[in-house]
């Protein structure tokens, strides 16, 4: 059985002996979906909400919050529909601005913003970006949440808007269960301590109980926090297939829209194997920018792997991690339980980093080896975090098969950054 990772420029391929192969798996591809019809229908029939043009008025100051360039959401298409709806409702261009939710990641380049919302839209509207260091935050008061009392802090641009609209993608997520809707606000625009509280709670739970589940603690807290930003009135959630094409879109009330879009996302992204594998060959596509993104593929495949199995991830890892995250790899010599304890002590001031470490430690403890096949600028990060590194997927597989034996069962999973599995 031969497989080409054809969506990468170096066109890596691997051959798995027929007697070892369980099969090839991945999210759905739906090539015949009419994207514009999907978007037209979504904006015409919002969930638990009036249409966007009926919500706004000519006096509104509208802020459109979109996910960042490291997310594969084709924002440019629904963004155009949002602008049309705002114009229909009488909102002037001068009263429309855009905010990119970078969460804890780097800011986007001008070229990336052009791709995200369209070059003409970038020229036409004011575009701001949230900062990973938490500067320019506004307090919306205290909230009593399911995780206890929290100071609701988020990007200051939210404060001055009378209507906030989100445009984001819905994907399986290790810490939230699913992205989408309110998560572009919390944790997308909040500080490390607020987002870290949610992420740490999830990191301490098994991947199997979080990834691909909609009723997670993080999603509960997100719904509780967005109530403190009453101007957040309308969400646009998109679902893409494995080719990156929009196959579903849900608009309307942020909480209600997410519930509907998650149901669709589950049908597109969930996979099932007839048996667990000794070796899983996968890729991180489309989450390829850095090591922490590429880890999506590891989290997703854990439920499909036999105890102490091996995972091989093909990923370009295009960018190195910031130094503040890279140096944390040295702490992975500690056990997952020790890291959980340290999250209350030495790592208490960096809860998001602690959550990543705890989640990665789970992967290391449940596998005998994880190997990244990469030529990218983030290659050294994979080594720093204790992963094997190779430049050939065939070499990585041949070595794994030698370790696991000639009877090892092998699964190939495409677009591992998108999938989830419940076993």
């Amino acid at each position: 059985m031969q497989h080409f990772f054809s969506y990468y420029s170096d066109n890596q391929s691997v051959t798995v002996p027929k007697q070892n192969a369980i099969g090839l798996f991945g999210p759905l591809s739906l090539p015949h979906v009419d994207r514009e019809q999907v978007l037209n229908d979504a904006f015409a029939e919002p969930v638990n909400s009036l249409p966007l043009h009926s919500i706004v008025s000519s006096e509104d100051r509208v802020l459109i919050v979109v996910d960042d360039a490291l997310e594969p959401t084709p924002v440019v298409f629904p963004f155009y529909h949002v602008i049309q709806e705002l114009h229909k409702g009488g909102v002037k261009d001068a009263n429309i601005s855009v905010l990119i939710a970078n969460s804890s990641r780097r800011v986007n380049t001008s070229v990336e913003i052009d791709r995200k919302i369209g070059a003409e839209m970038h020229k036409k509207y004011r575009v701001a970006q949230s900062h990973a260091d938490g500067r320019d935050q506004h307090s919306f008061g205290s909230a009593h949440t399911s995780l206890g009392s929290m100071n609701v802090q988020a990007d200051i641009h939210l404060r001055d808007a009378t209507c906030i609209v989100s445009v984001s993608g819905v994907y399986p997520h290790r810490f939230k269960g699913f992205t989408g809707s309110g998560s572009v606000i919390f944790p997308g625009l909040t500080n490390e301590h607020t987002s870290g509280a949610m992420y740490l709670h999830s990191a301490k739970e098994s991947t199997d109980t979080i990834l691909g589940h909609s009723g997670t603690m993080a999603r509960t807290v997100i719904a509780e926090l967005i109530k403190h930003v009453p101007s957040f009135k309308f969400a646009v959630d998109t679902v893409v297939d494995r080719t990156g094409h929009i196959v579903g879109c849900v608009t309307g009330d942020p909480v209600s829209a997410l519930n509907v879009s998650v149901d669709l996302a589950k049908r597109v992204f969930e996979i099932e194997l007839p048996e667990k594998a000794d070796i899983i060959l996968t890729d991180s596509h489309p989450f390829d920018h850095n090591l922490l993104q590429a880890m999506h593929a590891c989290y997703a495949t854990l439920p499909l792997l036999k105890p102490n199995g091996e995972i091989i991830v093909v990923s370009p890892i295009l960018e190195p991690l910031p130094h503040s995250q890279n140096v944390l790899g040295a702490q992975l010599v500690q056990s997952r339980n020790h890291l959980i304890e340290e999250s209350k002590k030495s790592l208490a001031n960096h809860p998001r980093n602690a959550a990543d470490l705890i989640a990665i430690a789970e992967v290391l403890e449940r596998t005998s080896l994880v190997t990244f096949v990469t030529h990218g600028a983030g290659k050294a990060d994979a080594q720093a975090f204790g992963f094997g590194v190779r430049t050939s997927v065939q070499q990585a597989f041949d070595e794994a098969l030698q370790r696991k034996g000639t009877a090892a069962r092998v699964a190939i999973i495409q677009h591992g950054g998108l999938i989830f599995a419940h076993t």
Side-chain angles (χ1 to χ4, degrees):
M1 178 182 180
Q2 188 174 30
H3 177 66
F4 289 87
F5 295 94
S6 55
Y7 28 87
Y8 293 137
S9 58
D10 55 3
N11 202 20
Q12 289 273 357
S13 68
V14 63
T15 300
V16 176
K18 184 177 180 180
Q19 66 271 20
N20 299 101
I22 299 173
L24 174 66
F25 307 89
L28 295 179
S29 174
L30 304 172
H32 302 300
V33 173
D34 184 334
R35 182 192 67 218
E36 284 306 303
Q37 189 62 54
V38 166
L39 293 172
N40 286 333
D41 290 347
F43 280 88
E45 298 182 13
V47 178
N48 199 21
S49 170
L50 294 171
L52 180 56
H53 69 261
S54 297
I55 293 175
V56 296
S57 72
S58 59
E59 303 303 314
D60 270 313
R61 299 182 302 278
V62 179
L63 179 67
I64 307 172
V65 182
V66 303
D67 58 20
D68 72 348
L70 273 64
E71 299 292 324
T73 312
V75 164
V76 62
F77 303 113
F79 186 89
Y80 176 74
H81 283 259
V82 169
I83 296 298
Q84 285 187 311
E85 284 284 301
L86 295 178
H87 286 169
K88 187 176 179 180
V91 181
K92 305 175 183 66
D93 283 336
N95 284 355
I96 301 173
S97 57
V98 181
L99 177 60
I100 298 176
N102 292 320
S103 189
S104 62
R105 302 191 287 233
R106 64 166 176 80
V107 298
N108 295 212
T109 67
S110 181
V111 171
E112 288 173 331
I113 298 172
D114 284 349
R115 287 200 297 264
K116 201 69 180 176
I117 65 171
E120 289 304 312
M121 296 294 185
H122 187 190
K123 292 176 184 175
K124 194 170 188 178
Y125 300 110
R126 298 184 303 276
V127 178
Q129 302 197 52
S130 64
H131 296 282
D133 59 10
R135 76 182 102 149
D136 298 330
Q137 295 269 307
H138 173 71
S139 177
F140 290 85
S142 295
H144 297 287
T145 76
S146 299
L147 286 177
S149 181
M150 288 186 178
N151 182 19
V152 185
Q153 289 193 320
D155 191 284
I156 198 168
H157 291 87
L158 299 178
R159 179 193 62 186
D160 300 323
T162 58
C163 179
I164 298 168
V165 180
S166 69
V167 183
S168 59
V170 180
Y171 313 102
H173 193 272
R174 168 61 182 88
F175 302 103
K176 291 176 282 194
F178 279 95
T179 62
S181 281
S183 71
V184 80
I185 308 292
F186 299 104
L189 297 174
T190 191
N191 59 23
E192 181 176 356
H193 286 278
T194 301
S195 61
M198 288 186 279
Y199 277 50
L200 264 178
H201 184 276
S202 296
K204 295 170 185 178
E205 301 292 325
S206 167
T207 297
D208 309 54
T209 65
I210 301 294
L211 184 71
H213 292 274
S214 53
T216 62
M217 177 63 76
R219 291 289 351 173
T220 297
V221 173
I222 290 167
E224 292 168 342
L225 291 177
I226 62 175
K227 292 177 181 177
H228 292 260
V229 187
S231 53
F232 180 30
K233 299 176 181 178
F234 201 84
V236 180
D237 285 347
T238 62
V239 177
V240 299
D241 67 2
R242 72 184 185 203
T243 65
H245 292 112
I246 294 174
V247 296
C249 181
V250 182
T251 72
D253 169 74
V255 174
S256 302
L258 181 72
N259 291 336
V260 177
S261 57
V262 162
D263 286 342
L264 173 60
K266 286 180 177 179
R267 296 197 294 272
V268 175
F269 299 135
E270 185 172 17
I271 68 169
E272 183 177 351
L273 268 61
E275 60 179 292
K276 291 195 175 187
D278 297 290
I279 302 169
I280 290 181
L281 287 154
T282 188
D283 61 81
S284 63
H285 192 75
F287 296 98
D288 298 322
H289 281 81
N290 59 47
L291 179 67
L292 294 183
Q293 275 205 313
M295 286 302 301
H296 281 295
C298 295
Y299 302 139
T301 53
L302 274 186
L304 303 170
L305 194 69
K306 292 179 183 177
N308 296 313
E310 290 197 26
I311 302 173
I312 298 169
V313 184
V314 180
S315 177
I317 315 184
L318 299 169
E319 303 173 3
L321 292 171
H323 180 71
S324 61
Q325 293 176 323
N326 175 278
V327 297
L328 292 172
Q331 299 200 47
L332 281 170
V333 297
Q334 307 292 343
S335 71
R336 182 166 180 261
N337 285 338
H338 180 81
L339 288 170
I340 290 174
E341 288 303 311
E342 287 303 303
S343 70
K344 307 168 190 173
K345 301 173 186 175
S346 63
L347 294 172
N349 290 327
H350 303 284
R352 280 290 294 268
N353 288 340
D356 284 323
L357 286 174
I358 292 166
I360 293 171
E362 181 190 12
V363 173
L364 292 172
E365 290 183 0
R366 290 175 61 176
T367 59
S368 56
L369 182 64
V370 175
T371 301
F372 280 89
V373 178
T374 182
H375 298 81
K379 177 180 177 180
D381 292 332
Q383 294 170 319
F385 278 76
F387 300 118
V389 174
R390 292 290 183 268
T391 55
S392 161
V393 65
Q394 188 67 56
Q395 178 190 1
F397 171 67
D398 291 343
E399 292 171 352
L401 191 61
Q402 187 175 22
R403 286 186 292 268
K404 290 300 176 185
T406 56
R409 304 295 288 156
V410 182
I412 300 177
I413 298 175
Q414 302 180 92
H415 305 275
L418 286 174
I419 65 101
F420 73 95
H422 295 157
T423 57

